[in-house]
Amino acid sequence: MIKKIFFDFDGVLTTAKTGSYTNCNYFSQKIGVDAQKLFSKVKQFDEKIDAGKLSEKDVWKLICEEAGFEFNPNWLQESFIHTPIDTKMLEYAKQLNNKYRVGIITDNSTERMNIIMKQNKDFNIFHPIIISEDVKCTKKGTKIFEIATQKANVNANECIFIDNKQDNVDSAKSAGFIGVYFDDEKRDYDNLFKIIDEIIEN
């Protein structure tokens, strides 16, 4: 019996593939450097940021200095605030929450998630919200999923996890979850909703 449905954040509850894409698009406008070039630099640090070993502030300070710009900390907070939320997916989560309860498991920085949650009260429906920087582990392994079940007081086989990266879905399955892949480019909502309904019914 399904008791909990966990969502990934970026690429599932947002329309941007990753948080780095959102930040790079914003900084591109500020410092006039191509967003893809910025992304190629930032992605080198993503794993350390997600695991809490390096701050996004330090990374962006370094990148701005390399581009010949003085880093403005407000830009980073503004880039968080401008994260494009997928309102259709959020509405679906609200519907599910009426019966099954929903949560979030995300590889992300705590500061970014806190700012986004504060800006959008609709995210109050999600509990728990497991952030990789908080728990010092990412979705590359099973530990973060084990922590999520402990926080939610459920068994792994009672949980569905939705993510836009197959590797993360596989990690969730290894932890005992029912993993569902969501293609963030096609964004086929009807197919996703159908899959979730079938899992719940069975």
Side-chain angles (χ1 to χ4, degrees):
M1 178 181 175
I2 298 301
K3 294 183 179 178
K4 197 80 180 180
I5 301 175
F6 285 100
F7 289 75
D8 173 38
F9 185 68
D10 292 293
V12 177
L13 290 169
T14 79
T15 56
K17 186 179 290 288
T18 68
S20 293
Y21 273 106
T22 301
N23 297 342
C24 289
N25 285 331
Y26 190 81
F27 272 85
S28 175
Q29 298 172 21
K30 290 294 183 181
I31 64 178
V33 177
D34 180 73
Q36 195 58 45
K37 288 184 178 180
L38 291 176
F39 182 71
S40 67
K41 290 180 176 292
V42 173
K43 70 179 181 180
Q44 302 173 43
F45 304 103
D46 275 349
E47 287 187 25
K48 289 186 176 180
I49 292 172
D50 291 340
K53 296 178 180 178
L54 192 64
S55 74
E56 288 187 282
K57 190 176 294 184
D58 288 340
V59 169
W60 280 105
K61 184 177 181 181
L62 175 64
I63 290 173
C64 286
E65 287 174 352
E66 287 182 355
F69 287 84
E70 183 177 351
F71 172 69
N72 183 338
N74 291 333
W75 290 349
L76 189 57
Q77 292 191 11
E78 289 166 6
S79 72
F80 297 159
I81 292 169
H82 282 79
T83 296
I85 305 302
D86 186 329
T87 53
K88 187 165 186 175
M89 193 69 83
L90 186 55
E91 283 302 315
Y92 179 57
K94 288 179 182 178
Q95 293 174 27
L96 291 173
N97 193 57
N98 291 329
K99 187 173 182 181
Y100 300 100
R101 314 306 294 174
V102 294
I104 291 174
I105 303 173
T106 177
D107 287 347
N108 238 303
S109 74
T110 304
E111 180 185 14
R112 177 172 182 261
M113 289 301 294
N114 285 345
I115 288 173
I116 294 170
M117 297 299 119
K118 186 176 180 180
Q119 287 291 317
N120 194 329
K121 300 302 182 184
D122 286 336
F123 283 103
N124 288 340
I125 64 170
F126 295 97
H127 182 79
I129 297 175
I130 308 298
I131 305 169
S132 59
E133 184 182 0
D134 280 347
V135 297
K136 300 295 185 287
C137 56
T138 69
K139 288 179 281 186
K140 287 188 177 296
T142 59
K143 185 178 179 181
I144 194 168
F145 298 101
E146 293 163 3
I147 292 170
T149 57
Q150 291 168 9
K151 295 281 188 183
N153 195 29
V154 292
N155 297 318
N157 62 2
E158 298 171 324
C159 300
I160 296 173
F161 175 64
I162 306 165
D163 200 291
N164 65 320
K165 293 181 180 178
Q166 187 61 52
D167 287 349
N168 294 340
V169 172
D170 292 341
S171 292
K173 288 180 178 179
S174 295
F177 282 56
I178 299 170
V180 178
Y181 171 72
F182 177 68
D183 189 324
D184 59 77
E185 293 183 3
K186 293 181 179 178
R187 306 203 78 80
D188 188 343
Y189 302 101
D190 290 340
N191 184 55
L192 175 69
F193 301 164
K194 180 181 177 182
I195 291 171
I196 300 299
D197 286 345
E198 289 176 351
I199 293 170
I200 290 171
E201 288 171 3
N202 293 331

